[in-house]
C-alpha cells in the first residue's frame, strides 16, 4: 500500500524516540507512505519541551500529530505528557498524541487513558499498516 | 406410855443421818443401850414399853425428863408413836376382837390434824390406819398361833379436813404371846414425811428434766468422772457420734483420751492441762471410723475441780462438723484446682488499684516474669513493663470504666527479671465497685511466642512483597528491554520488504522474521506465565466484549498462513463482571490465536466463533472453530507445559498451558471437545468475582 507521492497525510508530525534504530524505522516507514510533509524527530522529552517552548505563540509550527515513546531515559513519556499539559495548557488539545511503545504492560495502557490527548496506543514495530490506520483515524 | 425403841432409834438415825444434834446424843446413846437389851428381851418375852423398863430403874424425876425429851424429839422429827393393845383371845367368840388403842403420843394427834387428847382413841379411828395385811393378822390371829413378831413399814397418804394431803411413814412391830402365839400388842410410829417427799419429788423431777434435756440435746453431751475414769452420763447424740466406730456401744467404759483419735491426742494433753487449771476450753478433734475415715467433732469442755483443786469431772458438749469440714476441704480443693487451672492455662491474674498498684498477683507470675508474687506485690504495674509501653498502659487504664462488662484488651511488653522482653496480651475489667475484688482485675497471657512468630511472618511477608515487586519490575523490564530490540528488528525487516530490490533476499528475510516472531511470542508467553503463577490476582470491573475486541484487533496482524479466518462473536454481558483482565486476556488471546493458527485450509469458510454469556454468578466463554482439530488421544495432554501436537515451528508449547493456568487462577473450569478435521470447542466457566472485589 504505497501512497500517492504528491499527497501527504499530515503536514507536520513530531516523533519523540530515544533509540536510533526506531528513529530510522519511523522516518523511513513514514517516507514510504508519504505520511507527513514535515517530520520532526527528537531524541528526548526534554528536547521536545524546549521546542514547544520556542514555538510558543506560533501555532502554525505546532505538529498535528505526535508519536511518543514511553520508556525513555531521564524523562519518560508519561512524565513528558504531564509536564506538557501543565506548562502548555493552551496548546495541549491541539496536538494528537499516539503512544508508540514495545511495552505490553497493561499498566502502561491503563495509565495512558488518564491523558485525554492520547488518542491511540500502538505496539512496536511501526509499519505501513499501522500508519495507514493512524491516517484513517486522524486525517 | 410405850414406844418401840428400835423404830425410834432407826428413825432418828434416818432423819439426822450421822449428824445427830449434840443435845440429843445422850438420849440416843441410851436408846441404843435400851434397844440392845430390848432385842434380847423381845426374844424372851414381850417388852411392853421403854417406860416400864425404865421405871424400874429410874426415879420419877428421870421419867419426867425422859418424857419431855421424848416429846421434843417427836416434835422435831415430826414422828408420833402409838401402841395398840390386843385383848386376850377368847376362843369361841368369832366376833371382831375388842381391841383398843392404849396410847397415841401428842405428835400423832398433830399429824392427824387433831388437838392432842381431843378424841378418844378407838379401833374405828385406828383400824383404817393399819396396813390391811396387819389387820388380817389381827383379825385372824386365833388361827395363826405360831406368828412371831412382825415388823412393817409403809407410806401412805392422809387426806386432811382442809383438803390438803400429808404423806406419812408408818412403822410398827407386832408382838405375840410367846405361849399361844396370839398377838398381844402393836407398837408403831407415824412420821410426817410430806416435806421430805416434796423435796424428793422435786429433786427427782429436776433430775429427770435435766436428763431429758441432755438426752434430747442435739449436741453430743458427755459427763466424765476423771478421778474414777468413768462416764457418768452421755446422751443419745453422743452415742450417735460414735456410730460406725470401734467405740460404738462402748463409750461408757472408755477412758476419756481413748475417745479422741491418735492424730489429735497431742492436742488433747494440752487441752487437759488447760482444763486442770479450771479453764473452759474448745477443741476440734477427730474420731476414727471403722472404715478408716474420720468424723470431726467441734467441742466445748467445762471442767469441775474438787475441793482440793484437782480436776474431778469434765462436761463435754460437741457437734459433728464432719460435713462442714468436708465442705471446707472441697472448697479448698476447688480453689486449688482453680489455681492449678490458672497455672496450666498460663494466665496470670493480677489485681491492681486504679493507680496501677498491684494488690494481688497469682503464683504463676514467677513463670511469666521470674518474680515471686511477694517481690512485686505493692509495686506499680508499669514498673515491670517495657518503658515504651508505659504511656500506652496508663492510657489503657484511663479507658477502664467501673462496672463496664466489656473486656478491654491490650498487648504490651513486660520485662522479665532476667531482662528479656515478654510480650503479653491482657484483658482487664474494672471491678473497683465489687467489694470482693475492689480493684482492676487483669488476666495476662504470654504471647511472646506468637509475637515472635508474627514478627517472623511479617518479615517473611515483607520479603515476599519485595520479591514480588522485584518480579513485577522484572516483568516490566523484560517486556520492554527484551522486546524493544526485537520489535526494532521487525521494523527494519518491514522496511527492507518495502524496497524494490529486496526480493533477492525475501526467503532469507522470511526465516529471519519467523525467528523474530517466535522469539517475541516466547517472551510474551514467559511474561504471561509469570503473571499466571507469581502475581496476585487483581479483580476489577471489566467489559468482556471490549477485552475480546482488543484481542482480535491485536491478532489481526498475525496471520501466518495467509488464510482469511472469519471472526464471529456472540456476547451477552449486560451485568457488571469482575475478574482479572490480564487472565481473561491470556485466555482469549491464546485460544483465538490457536484457532487462527490451526485453521483448516480445506474448509470452505474457516472461522472462529467466540460466545460469551456472563451473569452475576459466572461467565461462560466458548471458543469454537472449524480448524484441524485435536485427536482424542492428545486431548488430555494439550494443556501440559511445552506439549506440542503439531510440527508447526511457530508454537511454543506454552499457549494452552497458560490458558489452563489462567483459568485455574480465576478458580474457573475448562473443557475441550474436538475432532480431527472438524474443529474444536473450548468451554470455559469463570466466576464473577463481584464479592471478592474490595
Amino acid at each position: 500500500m504505497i501512497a500517492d507521492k504528491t499527497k501527504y497525510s499530515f503536514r507536520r508530525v513530531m516523533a519523540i524516540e530515544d533509540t536510533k534504530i526506531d528513529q530510522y524505522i519511523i522516518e523511513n516507514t513514514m517516507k514510504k507512505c508519504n505520511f507527513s510533509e514535515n517530520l520532526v524527530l527528537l531524541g528526548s522529552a526534554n528536547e521536545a519541551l524546549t521546542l514547544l517552548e520556542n514555538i510558543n505563540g506560533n501555532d502554525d509550527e505546532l505538529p498535528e500529530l505526535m508519536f511518543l515513546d514511553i520508556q525513555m531515559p531521564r524523562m519518560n513519556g508519561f512524565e513528558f505528557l504531564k509536564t506538557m499539559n501543565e506548562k502548555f495548557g493552551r496548546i495541549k488539545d491541539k496536538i494528537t498524541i499516539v503512544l508508540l511503545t514495545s511495552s505490553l504492560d497493561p499498566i502502561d495502557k491503563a495509565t495512558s487513558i488518564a491523558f485525554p490527548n492520547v488518542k491511540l496506543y500502538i505496539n512496536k514495530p511501526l509499519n505501513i499498516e499501522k500508519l495507514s490506520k493512524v491516517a484513517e483515524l486522524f486525517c | 406410855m410405850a414406844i418401840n425403841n428400835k423404830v425410834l432409834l432407826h428413825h432418828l438415825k434416818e432423819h439426822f443421818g450421822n449428824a445427830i444434834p449434840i443435845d440429843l446424843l445422850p438420849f440416843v446413846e441410851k436408846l441404843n443401850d435400851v434397844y440392845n437389851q430390848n432385842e434380847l428381851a423381845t426374844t424372851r418375852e414381850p417388852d411392853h414399853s421403854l417406860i416400864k423398863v425404865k421405871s424400874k430403874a429410874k426415879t420419877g424425876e428421870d421419867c419426867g425428863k425422859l418424857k419431855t425429851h421424848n416429846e421434843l424429839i417427836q416434835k422435831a422429827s415430826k414422828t408420833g408413836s402409838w401402841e395398840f393393845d390386843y385383848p386376850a383371845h377368847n376362843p369361841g367368840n368369832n366376833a371382831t376382837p375388842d381391841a383398843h388403842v392404849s396410847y397415841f403420843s401428842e405428835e400423832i394427834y398433830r399429824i392427824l390434824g387433831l388437838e392432842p387428847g381431843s378424841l378418844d382413841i378407838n379401833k374405828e379411828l385406828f383400824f383404817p390406819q393399819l396396813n390391811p395385811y396387819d389387820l388380817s393378822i389381827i383379825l385372824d390371829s386365833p388361827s395363826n398361833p405360831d406368828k412371831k413378831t412382825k415388823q412393817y413399814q409403809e407410806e401412805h397418804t392422809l387426806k386432811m379436813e382442809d383438803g390438803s394431803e400429808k404423806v406419812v411413814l408408818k412403822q410398827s412391830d407386832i408382838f405375840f404371846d410367846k405361849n399361844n402365839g396370839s398377838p398381844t400388842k402393836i407398837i408403831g410410829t407415824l412420821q410426817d414425811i410430806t416435806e421430805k417427799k416434796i423435796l424428793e419429788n422435786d429433786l427427782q423431777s429436776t433430775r429427770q428434766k435435766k436428763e431429758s434435756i441432755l438426752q434430747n440435746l442435739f449436741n453430743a453431751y458427755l459427763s466424765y468422772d476423771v478421778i474414777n475414769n468413768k462416764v457418768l452420763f452421755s446422751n443419745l447424740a453422743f452415742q450417735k457420734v460414735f456410730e460406725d466406730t470401734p467405740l460404738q456401744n462402748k463409750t461408757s467404759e472408755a477412758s476419756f483420751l481413748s475417745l479422741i483419735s491418735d492424730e489429735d491426742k497431742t492436742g488433747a494433753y494440752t487441752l487437759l492441762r488447760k482444763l486442770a487449771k479450771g479453764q473452759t476450753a474448745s477443741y476440734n478433734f477427730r474420731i476414727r471410723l471403722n472404715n478408716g475415715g474420720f468424723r470431726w467433732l467441734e467441742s466445748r469442755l467445762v471442767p469441775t475441780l474438787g475441793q482440793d483443786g484437782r480436776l474431778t469431772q469434765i462436761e463435754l458438749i460437741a457437734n459433728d462438723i464432719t460435713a462442714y469440714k468436708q465442705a471446707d476441704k472441697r472448697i479448698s480443693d476447688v480453689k486449688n484446682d482453680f489455681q492449678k487451672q490458672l497455672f496450666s492455662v498460663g494466665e496470670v491474674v493480677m489485681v491492681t488499684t486504679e493507680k496501677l498498684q498491684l494488690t494481688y498477683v497469682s503464683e504463676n507470675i514467677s513463670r511469666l516474669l521470674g518474680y515471686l508474687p511477694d517481690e512485686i506485690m505493692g509495686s506499680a504495674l508499669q514498673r515491670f513493663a517495657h518503658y515504651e509501653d508505659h504511656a500506652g498502659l496508663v492510657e489503657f487504664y484511663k479507658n477502664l470504666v467501673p462496672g463496664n462488662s466489656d473486656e478491654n484488651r491490650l498487648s504490651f511488653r513486660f520485662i522479665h527479671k532476667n531482662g528479656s522482653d515478654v510480650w503479653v496480651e491482657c484483658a482487664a475489667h474494672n471491678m473497683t465497685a465489687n467489694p470482693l475484688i475492689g480493684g482492676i482485675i487483669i488476666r495476662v497471657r504470654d504471647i511472646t511466642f506468637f509475637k515472635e512468630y508474627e514478627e517472623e511472618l511479617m518479615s517473611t511477608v515483607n520479603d515476599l512483597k519485595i520479591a514480588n515487586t522485584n518480579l513485577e519490575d522484572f516483568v516490566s523490564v523484560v517486556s520492554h528491554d527484551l522486546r524493544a530490540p526485537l520489535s526494532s528488528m521487525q521494523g527494519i525487516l518491514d522496511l527492507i520488504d518495502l524496497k524494490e530490490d529486496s526480493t533477492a533476499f525475501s526467503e532469507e528475510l522470511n526465516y529471519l522474521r519467523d525467528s523474530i516472531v517466535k522469539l517475541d511470542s516466547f517472551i510474551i508467553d514467559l511474561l504471561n506465565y509469570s503473571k499466571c503463577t507469581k502475581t496476585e490476582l487483581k479483580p476489577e470491573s471489566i467489559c468482556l466484549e471490549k477485552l475480546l475486541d482488543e484481542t482480535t484487533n491485536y491478532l489481526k496482524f498475525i496471520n501466518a498462513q495467509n488464510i482469511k479466518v472469519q471472526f464471529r462473536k456472540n456476547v451477552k454481558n449486560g451485568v457488571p463482571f469482575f475478574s482479572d483482565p490480564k487472565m481473561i486476556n491470556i485466555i482469549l488471546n491464546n485460544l483465538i490465536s490457536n484457532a487462527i493458527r490451526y485453521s483448516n485450509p480445506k474448509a470452505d469458510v474457516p472461522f472462529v466463533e467466540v460466545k460469551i454469556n456472563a451473569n452475576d454468578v459466572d461467565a461462560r466463554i466458548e471458543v469454537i472453530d472449524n480448524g484441524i482439530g485435536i485427536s482424542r488421544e492428545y486431548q488430555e495432554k494439550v494443556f501440559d507445559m511445552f506439549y506440542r501436537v503439531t510440527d508447526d515451528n511457530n508454537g511454543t508449547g506454552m499457549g494452552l498451558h497458560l490458558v489452563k493456568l489462567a483459568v485455574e487462577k480465576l478458580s474457573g473450569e475448562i473443557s475441550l471437545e474436538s475432532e480431527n478435521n472438524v474443529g474444536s470447542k473450548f468451554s470455559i466457566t469463570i466466576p464473577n468475582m463481584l464479592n471478592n472485589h474490595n
Side-chain angles (χ1 to χ4, degrees), chain B residues 402-530:
Chain B
N404 187 350
S405 60
D406 293 342
E407 220 169 44
N408 291 278
R409 287 179 180 275
L410 178 73
S411 295
F412 63 95
R413 282 159 291 177
F414 270 125
I415 304 293
H416 193 275
K417 199 176 182 179
N418 67 16
S420 62
D421 288 3
V422 180
W423 268 103
V424 297
E425 183 187 59
C426 78
H429 271 115
N430 189 329
M431 300 186 83
T432 42
N434 185 327
L436 275 176
I437 298 182
I440 288 162
I441 187 161
I442 310 176
R443 302 192 338 263
V444 181
R445 198 158 58 93
D446 187 349
I447 55 164
T448 308
F449 173 77
F450 298 104
K451 272 287 168 186
E452 282 170 357
Y453 188 72
E454 191 181 302
E455 275 169 10
E456 201 176 309
L457 198 67
M458 285 311 291
S459 119
T460 310
V461 166
N462 277 336
D463 287 353
L464 281 174
K465 275 187 179 163
I466 291 166
N468 211 37
T469 311
N470 288 344
L471 187 72
E472 282 179 23
D473 288 349
F474 174 76
V475 166
S476 170
V477 166
V478 166
S479 95
H480 183 263
D481 292 359
L482 274 183
R483 290 196 68 240
L486 282 178
S487 59
S488 301
M489 286 161 78
Q490 270 183 291
I492 296 296
L493 284 173
D494 288 342
L495 282 177
I496 293 169
D497 239 5
L498 293 174
K499 292 193 187 317
E500 280 96 29
D501 55 354
S502 69
T503 42
F505 304 102
S506 64
E507 196 182 351
E508 289 89 339
L509 288 176
N510 275 336
Y511 283 125
L512 200 55
R513 191 191 303 277
D514 285 351
S515 291
I516 290 167
V517 167
K518 192 177 171 184
L519 186 55
D520 193 33
S521 51
F522 195 70
I523 289 168
I524 290 168
D525 283 350
L526 283 178
L527 287 173
N528 286 337
Y529 180 76
S530 97

Side-chain angles (χ1 to χ4, degrees), chain B residues 265-536:
Chain B
K265 279 213 171 78
T266 320
Y269 294 122
T270 316
L271 174 77
L272 284 174
R273 277 199 294 278
K274 197 174 175 187
L275 290 170
K277 288 178 196 164
Q279 300 169 337
T280 58
S282 296
Y283 189 54
N284 292 358
F285 61 92
R286 285 164 284 185
I287 53 180
R288 175 73 73 177
L289 296 175
N290 285 330
N291 66 10
F294 289 109
R295 185 165 288 146
W296 272 96
L297 294 187
E298 175 189 56
S299 71
R300 208 160 62 80
L301 300 102
V302 183
T304 307
L305 299 187
Q307 284 185 326
D308 56 356
R310 275 206 304 159
L311 180 64
T312 56
Q313 198 171 318
I314 298 171
E315 316 291 325
L316 176 148
I317 291 179
N319 280 326
D320 184 348
I321 55 163
T322 312
Y324 169 80
K325 277 276 178 188
Q326 281 168 350
D328 201 41
K329 186 171 184 305
R330 269 201 295 277
I331 289 170
S332 148
D333 286 351
V334 166
K335 202 174 148 197
N336 282 339
D337 281 357
F338 184 63
Q339 292 263 354
K340 272 184 211 155
Q341 286 285 333
L342 279 182
F343 194 81
S344 67
V345 298
E347 248 186 18
V348 175
V349 177
M350 300 177 173
V351 179
T352 74
T353 64
E354 283 180 302
K355 300 226 184 303
L356 285 86
Q357 192 190 12
L358 286 159
T359 55
Y360 170 80
V361 182
S362 61
E363 290 288 328
N364 52 356
I365 186 77
S366 59
R367 212 170 60 160
L368 182 74
L369 296 184
Y371 292 100
L372 293 171
D374 289 348
E375 287 182 275
I376 70 170
M377 203 82 92
S379 305
L381 181 63
Q382 69 264 41
R383 220 193 96 194
F384 304 95
H386 193 285
Y387 73 95
E388 285 176 13
D389 295 334
H390 285 189
L393 205 54
V394 171
E395 193 59 34
F396 176 67
Y397 260 69
K398 280 184 191 161
N399 296 326
L400 298 173
V401 187
N404 187 350
S405 60
D406 293 342
E407 220 169 44
N408 291 278
R409 287 179 180 275
L410 178 73
S411 295
F412 63 95
R413 282 159 291 177
F414 270 125
I415 304 293
H416 193 275
K417 199 176 182 179
N418 67 16
S420 62
D421 288 3
V422 180
W423 268 103
V424 297
E425 183 187 59
C426 78
H429 271 115
N430 189 329
M431 300 186 83
T432 42
N434 185 327
L436 275 176
I437 298 182
I440 288 162
I441 187 161
I442 310 176
R443 302 192 338 263
V444 181
R445 198 158 58 93
D446 187 349
I447 55 164
T448 308
F449 173 77
F450 298 104
K451 272 287 168 186
E452 282 170 357
Y453 188 72
E454 191 181 302
E455 275 169 10
E456 201 176 309
L457 198 67
M458 285 311 291
S459 119
T460 310
V461 166
N462 277 336
D463 287 353
L464 281 174
K465 275 187 179 163
I466 291 166
N468 211 37
T469 311
N470 288 344
L471 187 72
E472 282 179 23
D473 288 349
F474 174 76
V475 166
S476 170
V477 166
V478 166
S479 95
H480 183 263
D481 292 359
L482 274 183
R483 290 196 68 240
L486 282 178
S487 59
S488 301
M489 286 161 78
Q490 270 183 291
I492 296 296
L493 284 173
D494 288 342
L495 282 177
I496 293 169
D497 239 5
L498 293 174
K499 292 193 187 317
E500 280 96 29
D501 55 354
S502 69
T503 42
F505 304 102
S506 64
E507 196 182 351
E508 289 89 339
L509 288 176
N510 275 336
Y511 283 125
L512 200 55
R513 191 191 303 277
D514 285 351
S515 291
I516 290 167
V517 167
K518 192 177 171 184
L519 186 55
D520 193 33
S521 51
F522 195 70
I523 289 168
I524 290 168
D525 283 350
L526 283 178
L527 287 173
N528 286 337
Y529 180 76
S530 97
K531 279 180 201 164
C532 286
T533 55
K534 302 283 187 273
T535 63
E536 225 174 289

Side-chain angles (χ1 to χ4, degrees), chain B residues 559-566 592-603 605-608 625-629 648 677-679:
Chain B
N559 217 333
Q561 296 186 7
N562 291 322
I563 302 169
K564 189 72 187 165
V565 177
Q566 197 183 69
I592 297 167
S593 60
N594 273 358
I596 294 168
R597 186 173 293 147
Y598 304 112
S599 57
N600 191 345
K602 293 168 193 162
V605 185
F607 73 88
V608 53
D625 65 53
N626 59 350
I628 57 173
D648 169 17
N677 296 318
V678 175

Side-chain angles (χ1 to χ4, degrees), chain A residues 21-22 24-25 28-29 32 69 71 101-106 109 123-130, chain B residues 476 479-480 483-484 487-492 494-495 498-500 524 527 531 538 550 554 557 582:
Chain A
I21 185 168
D22 284 357
Y24 179 86
I25 293 165
N28 288 282
T29 312
K32 285 285 175 198
D69 191 9
Q71 299 289 344
T101 176
S102 58
S103 167
L104 287 178
D105 193 339
K109 202 166 188 178
N123 277 107
K124 286 177 181 177
L126 189 66
N127 56 25
I128 300 265
E129 284 85 0
K130 289 174 187 172
Chain B
S476 170
S479 95
H480 183 263
R483 290 196 68 240
S487 59
S488 301
M489 286 161 78
Q490 270 183 291
I492 296 296
D494 288 342
L495 282 177
L498 293 174
K499 292 193 187 317
E500 280 96 29
I524 290 168
L527 287 173
K531 279 180 201 164
K538 287 171 189 152
E550 281 171 12
Y554 173 75
F557 303 110
K582 289 196 298 284

